[in-house]
Amino acid sequence: MPTIRRLITEQDLQTAMEQGLRIRVFRDSHLIETGSIIIRLTEDTVITQSSVSDLTYHNRNNCQFFELKK
């Protein structure tokens, strides 16, 4: 059973990016992405990658990010 931990602070997101941790992304209480990694952070955007050519841009104010631990 996977365990999830919410990534709230800038440091949480930065650590997840540096360690290449898999994450889940929720928007409006709906799971919109799972198993991707954070490749870049800006003040208002988190950019994730789930495959070689699949990049997704998430607004920090509209989404919740969770570290996925197996």
Side-chain angles (χ1 to χ4, degrees):
M1 180 81 178
T3 305
I4 59 174
R5 179 180 70 92
R6 187 163 183 187
L7 304 173
I8 300 171
T9 66
E10 177 71 26
Q11 185 61 39
D12 290 343
L13 291 167
Q14 187 69 34
T15 300
M17 181 178 74
E18 290 171 357
Q19 294 180 2
L21 301 175
R22 298 284 174 184
I23 64 166
R24 285 184 176 170
V25 182
F26 289 83
R27 183 174 54 223
D28 299 326
S29 300
H30 295 284
L31 178 64
I32 59 170
E33 188 170 351
T34 187
S36 58
I37 59 170
I38 299 172
I39 61 166
R40 185 164 180 183
L41 299 169
T42 66
E43 284 185 23
D44 56 345
T45 306
V46 175
I47 304 167
T48 60
Q49 183 175 19
S50 58
S51 68
V52 173
S53 62
D54 188 18
L55 298 178
T56 309
Y57 297 79
H58 303 286
N59 185 301
R60 284 185 171 190
N61 296 325
N62 298 336
C63 296
Q64 298 83 42
F65 304 93
F66 295 86
E67 174 186 347
L68 180 60
K69 296 180 184 177
K70 294 201 177 204

